Amino acid sequence: MQMSPSKIRIADSFAKAAGSYDTYAQFQRDVADTLLSRIPDRKTTRILDIGSGTGYCASSLMPVYPQSCITSLDIADAMLLHARPRGNSECENWVCGDGESLPFFDNSFDLVVSSLAMQWCTDPVMFCQEIFRVLKPGAHAFVSTLAEKTLTELRESWSAIDSFVHVNTFLPYGEIVKCLGQVPFSRVTSNNQQEFCFYSSFNALCKELKGIGAHNINAGQRQGLTGKDKFRKVKAHFERNAENDKGTSVTWDIVLIEMEK
Ligand SMILES: C[S@@+](CC[C@H](N)C(=O)[O-])C[C@H]1O[C@@H](n2cnc3c(N)ncnc32)[C@H](O)[C@@H]1O
């Protein structure tokens, strides 16, 4: 698999976090649960999970679809190594690959799921086109992703200190909807909702982002170390709005999408 430098950076970042991912990924599991709860009860034989991480979606889907084959695909090989021991179905596959260039034949799956991976893709239209291509006619895909307001509080704290990109950026919801409109699905529905999670400190948030592999992997970041003085300032800025026993509220801008081919 040929990968651009930015994809290699993303794959490395998630691979490094594979061992700690499950400890820090409560929010990701909650989003996956919401996404999977939307899947109507239908007969399926071949399911694909794109950006499968440590295999949470496959392990939730297996008891519901015991007769199905589930393929988990991720760009980070170490994530798949952590997912494998979780598997307990007769028919399960783990594939290292890119969601924007799926190594599967056209019309080969009757359900595609993908939770919180689309936002890491270079081209969301290509990501959706690939889903369209591998879905059988009439089959559905359920995808969650993150939009623009995600981590606003952290981004604002850093921008009060310097002009480097310290926090990942995400597309506005309207742009995501436009991308979906460029792929010839027969039906697409999506919705956008913001959730607020509380973090006891700036360090707790950074530790969680690092633990899941999602610390700053966007272009435009500062090369080299950021000084202790800057960290002290940004921490103080971030924590200035902390509520007594709860900590600081942080926005997660969640998008849930259903697509039918
Ligand atoms: C936030 S994790 C979500 C994992 C899992 N879906 C879950 O809900 O726990 C994002 C995953 O997407 C993978 N990923 C990022 N870019 C990808 C791409 N272009 N193709 C396939 N997987 C990708 C990462 O390696 C990581 O495992």
Side-chain angles (χ1 to χ4, degrees), residues 79-123:
M79 282 287 188
L80 297 162
L81 290 174
H82 274 76
R84 255 185 114 109
R86 239 181 175 158
N88 60 4
S89 128
E90 294 280 299
C91 184
E92 212 176 339
N93 307 299
W94 296 269
V95 178
C96 191
D98 182 356
E100 290 173 80
S101 175
L102 293 172
F104 307 114
F105 292 118
D106 297 0
N107 308 320
S108 41
F109 292 95
D110 35 24
L111 175 64
V112 172
V113 298
S114 179
S115 193
L116 298 180
M118 178 172 160
Q119 71 275 12
W120 302 117
C121 289
T122 318
D123 181 352

Side-chain angles (χ1 to χ4, degrees), residues 28-48:
Q28 286 69 17
R29 286 191 288 274
D30 291 345
V31 172
D33 286 343
T34 308
L35 181 72
L36 300 182
S37 72
R38 296 183 162 210
I39 303 176
D41 198 10
R42 276 208 187 95
K43 193 174 171 299
T44 63
T45 52
R46 291 200 67 205
I47 302 173
L48 171 65

Side-chain angles (χ1 to χ4, degrees):
M1 179 181 35
Q2 279 267 321
M3 287 201 287
S4 64
S6 65
K7 284 233 166 117
I8 293 172
R9 210 163 52 228
I10 289 171
D12 282 352
S13 180
F14 280 108
K16 280 193 193 113
S20 53
Y21 184 84
D22 289 343
T23 307
Y24 292 102
Q26 187 54 52
F27 168 77
Q28 286 69 17
R29 286 191 288 274
D30 291 345
V31 172
D33 286 343
T34 308
L35 181 72
L36 300 182
S37 72
R38 296 183 162 210
I39 303 176
D41 198 10
R42 276 208 187 95
K43 193 174 171 299
T44 63
T45 52
R46 291 200 67 205
I47 302 173
L48 171 65
D49 178 12
I50 305 175
S52 52
T54 55
Y56 183 74
C57 289
S59 65
S60 304
L61 289 168
M62 267 178 308
V64 185
Y65 300 102
Q67 312 300 334
S68 293
C69 277
I70 303 187
T71 300
S72 296
L73 174 134
D74 203 284
I75 203 163
D77 51 0
M79 282 287 188
L80 297 162
L81 290 174
H82 274 76
R84 255 185 114 109
R86 239 181 175 158
N88 60 4
S89 128
E90 294 280 299
C91 184
E92 212 176 339
N93 307 299
W94 296 269
V95 178
C96 191
D98 182 356
E100 290 173 80
S101 175
L102 293 172
F104 307 114
F105 292 118
D106 297 0
N107 308 320
S108 41
F109 292 95
D110 35 24
L111 175 64
V112 172
V113 298
S114 179
S115 193
L116 298 180
M118 178 172 160
Q119 71 275 12
W120 302 117
C121 289
T122 318
D123 181 352
V125 177
M126 182 62 82
F127 179 83
C128 295
Q129 267 166 353
E130 280 295 89
I131 292 178
F132 180 84
R133 184 180 65 73
V134 302
L135 273 177
K136 292 178 186 170
H140 290 71
F142 292 81
V143 173
S144 66
T145 187
L146 296 172
E148 190 182 27
K149 297 193 178 65
T150 300
L151 301 175
T152 295
E153 299 76 3
L154 186 57
R155 202 172 296 104
E156 281 174 0
S157 297
W158 272 113
S159 59
I161 309 302
D162 69 27
S163 55
F164 291 107
V165 179
H166 291 275
V167 182
N168 295 310
T169 52
F170 304 92
L171 287 177
Y173 176 58
E175 288 295 314
I176 295 171
V177 171
K178 272 192 203 155
C179 292
L180 298 170
Q182 291 179 49
V183 186
F185 286 105
S186 63
R187 191 174 63 87
V188 177
T189 55
S190 63
N191 73 288
N192 177 214
Q193 70 203 44
Q194 280 147 34
E195 287 195 7
F196 302 92
C197 297
F198 284 88
Y199 292 85
S200 58
S201 64
F202 172 74
N203 291 358
L205 172 59
C206 294
K207 201 168 166 195
E208 179 177 307
L209 293 176
K210 194 167 183 208
I212 61 163
H215 48 309
N216 188 15
I217 38 191
N218 275 164
Q221 58 183 297
R222 186 179 192 278
Q223 300 301 311
L225 296 174
T226 302
K228 275 189 183 162
D229 189 42
K230 275 194 179 174
F231 269 112
R232 202 176 37 72
K233 283 187 184 150
V234 74
K235 177 175 159 57
H237 193 279
F238 177 80
E239 290 172 3
R240 77 197 191 292
N241 292 326
E243 293 176 34
N244 284 345
D245 48 347
K246 284 180 160 174
T248 306
S249 160
V250 171
T251 309
W252 291 91
D253 196 4
I254 305 161
V255 181
L256 298 174
I257 305 162
E258 180 182 351
M259 302 175 259
E260 179 180 345
K261 182 164 174 180

